[in-house]
Amino acid sequence: MHADWDDAHTDFTSPVTRSVPAGLTECEADWRRRLQQETPGGWLLAGNAMTQTLTSGRPIHLMHTTTALDAIRASGQLYGSSGCLVAALYCAPLTPERAGLRPHNLGAYLLETKPHTRTLVFEITPAAPVPAKGVDYLRLGRIHLRTYLRHRSFLTGDEDARLRRAALGRIRAAAPFMDVLLANATGKRTPYAAFTDQLSAAIKDFPFLGYLYFEVLSEYLMLHSVTAETKTYAQAGELNNRLYKRLAHTAAKGMEQLFDLSRFHPGYDHLVELVTGIEPRLAPGAAEYTRDRLSYLFATVSLDLSQDAEAFTFQGPDFDALAVAAPSLLGQAVFREMRMFERYPQLYLAFEQAKALEAWAYWNGEGIPTPFNGFLPKGEIGVNPAYPESRCRVWVAETCERGPPTRRRAQRDPRSPSG
């Protein structure tokens, strides 16, 4: 169990090179060097303000937006939620300044776009410096599969059979393109325009590819951007979150209401149009970067280390064979198909609470009160609600008259939960 969670965490400040399946033309160290040393924003992967605050041992200030302030006050409870932070309360960093607490650019975006919400401010005083280890939700597939296998008794026989059939059907429908991904990862490059169009079509069969696609493009934009806006955020030690927000919201209608990355599937022409609208100089390299990076990531987050990427094919294996050869990919498929069940609200606690308990146990053992989204340290950070070794205070934030609208000053609400 611990090994699975360790593999799902990334620390750019003290990187450990993971092993990869045989046959790949690149390894993790190759990509780390390329991202950190050969991009304008690569230095922010290890040197960003958020991880520096975590590792300093000083109090950590976070903000959380909510529409349920009255319910929180009445119950005295705050709950983590599933998603990219697994089982933590989703927040964004705040930086103490003389005028008050300045939101990270992610938090400023939330304040601007969610005017109907109220903001809570957390002050967490850790007992020791916090490791800069973030959880990478793209690497949770093995955990999703193990959770399903251990708790499948909560499903009826018909539900279990339907879940397996649906997950396997998704993989088989996209198997030809998945083999193309492996071929690209082993050096047999597809022309990048054709690759992007094939990717777009395959996402409709296997939605997890949309998550990979979006994260790869977000990484490309955030690390390669050189706009004045990006440079301003970089001076504060922050990656520019507005880039991927623009990407998502222009790629699919209604994304601001429902952030569903299974709907993110731009083909080549649309991709070029999207990136041109965000930062024109980055458009020519976007598709080629997507082909190379996504192919590598797919192979590493899908195949078991016992497999040879040059020899493996997704066309043919049954459910049990995939559970051995590609457990992470199968787990991602099972996780997403189960969420489509009408009875998922009843199944949620059985499956998601099991993962939450494991996540809390891992974070507590590693000394992590504030886990963050570790694919990129872009400011998506959470509160571990089960952490026993830190003090936490909570306030309701009010707009500070001395600063701009996005600056808020915390005022203590005695009815807010603390612990």
Side-chain angles (χ1 to χ4, degrees):
M1 181 188 82
H2 187 278
D4 289 347
W5 285 101
D6 218 32
D7 180 69
H9 283 73
T10 299
D11 184 349
F12 289 100
T13 68
S14 183
V16 175
T17 300
R18 300 182 183 92
S19 299
V20 298
L24 302 188
T25 56
E26 295 169 305
C27 66
E28 190 168 11
D30 296 327
W31 273 104
R32 185 183 306 123
R33 180 176 60 255
R34 182 172 171 179
L35 297 177
Q36 292 189 277
Q37 300 178 18
E38 299 177 13
T39 65
W43 64 276
L44 285 166
L45 293 173
N48 63 86
M50 181 183 70
T51 55
Q52 288 175 348
T53 296
L54 297 180
T55 57
S56 72
R58 296 192 300 269
I60 302 163
H61 295 88
L62 307 174
M63 58 165 280
H64 170 74
T65 58
T66 181
T67 58
L69 181 59
D70 290 341
I72 291 170
R73 282 173 161 166
S75 67
Q77 300 293 321
L78 285 160
Y79 299 100
S81 61
S82 58
C84 66
L85 296 178
V86 188
L89 183 71
Y90 186 94
C91 298
L94 293 165
T95 300
E97 295 184 343
R98 292 183 65 182
L101 295 171
R102 176 183 61 80
H104 186 283
N105 72 84
L106 173 60
Y109 176 87
L110 295 174
L111 292 172
E112 292 168 14
T113 58
K114 297 181 181 294
H116 59 290
T117 63
R118 296 298 303 275
T119 303
L120 299 181
V121 170
F122 292 81
E123 181 183 78
I124 298 169
T125 304
V130 179
K133 296 178 69 171
V135 59
D136 181 352
Y137 77 97
L138 299 176
R139 304 187 68 89
L140 292 174
R142 192 181 293 267
I143 294 167
H144 293 322
L145 180 62
R146 175 164 46 77
T147 303
Y148 155 70
L149 293 174
R150 287 184 176 178
H151 299 279
R152 59 190 290 209
S153 61
F154 285 89
L155 300 168
T156 67
D158 178 67
E159 286 174 334
D160 190 46
R162 182 154 49 96
L163 179 64
R164 288 177 166 239
R165 188 165 56 248
L168 183 59
R170 290 282 190 186
I171 292 173
R172 286 183 171 171
F177 180 69
M178 291 180 180
D179 285 352
V180 170
L181 288 170
L182 294 183
N184 277 272
T186 58
K188 305 174 186 68
R189 302 296 193 195
T190 304
Y192 54 76
F195 175 93
T196 308
D197 287 336
Q198 292 174 40
L199 170 61
S200 174
I203 290 169
K204 297 168 187 176
D205 292 322
F206 196 73
F208 177 64
L209 293 173
Y211 291 75
L212 279 171
Y213 191 7
F214 176 76
E215 294 295 353
V216 165
L217 275 177
S218 298
E219 177 185 75
Y220 175 72
L221 291 172
M222 295 171 82
L223 296 184
H224 289 82
S225 175
V226 292
T227 64
E229 176 187 70
T230 297
K231 290 178 180 178
T232 297
Y233 293 141
Q235 290 173 355
E238 301 171 6
L239 288 164
N240 184 357
N241 287 264
R242 293 174 186 265
L243 296 169
Y244 74 81
K245 296 293 187 182
R246 293 171 190 143
L247 176 69
H249 295 162
T250 54
K253 292 182 179 180
M255 196 72 89
E256 62 276 7
Q257 279 81 40
L258 178 62
F259 200 78
D260 178 6
L261 293 178
S262 67
R263 299 190 297 121
F264 185 84
H265 50 78
Y268 176 71
D269 291 338
H270 192 195
L271 169 62
V272 173
E273 179 185 353
L274 287 172
V275 178
T276 299
I278 296 170
E279 191 163 345
R281 62 174 293 276
L282 298 182
E288 184 175 7
Y289 184 91
T290 296
R291 179 197 65 190
D292 296 348
R293 181 64 166 150
L294 194 148
S295 297
Y296 168 80
L297 283 177
F298 175 82
T300 58
V301 304
S302 299
L303 291 182
D304 188 78
L305 294 178
S306 64
Q307 301 303 305
D308 184 335
E310 287 189 293
F312 186 80
T313 177
F314 285 97
Q315 302 181 60
D318 62 13
F319 190 99
D320 291 334
L322 286 170
V324 174
S328 295
L329 185 73
L330 183 60
Q332 295 286 2
V334 167
F335 172 61
R336 282 165 176 77
E337 288 302 315
M338 188 182 297
R339 293 171 71 181
M340 302 298 291
F341 279 20
E342 289 185 7
R343 207 165 67 85
Y344 183 65
Q346 288 73 50
L347 298 170
Y348 179 90
L349 282 180
F351 290 91
E352 297 308 316
Q353 185 70 17
K355 279 181 276 191
L357 290 172
E358 288 190 8
W360 295 335
Y362 178 83
W363 293 334
N364 291 352
E366 295 293 312
I368 301 175
T370 48
F372 62 91
N373 185 349
F375 179 74
L376 284 175
K378 55 189 176 183
E380 293 181 313
I381 187 168
V383 177
N384 169 7
Y387 195 70
E389 299 294 336
S390 63
R391 291 185 292 108
C392 178
R393 296 192 295 170
V394 186
W395 292 266
V396 176
E398 301 293 345
T399 301
C400 177
E401 296 177 357
R402 294 178 296 170
T406 55
R407 180 170 295 167
R408 300 204 171 187
R409 181 172 54 196
Q411 294 182 346
R412 180 66 188 274
D413 180 350
R415 294 170 293 178
S416 294
S418 63

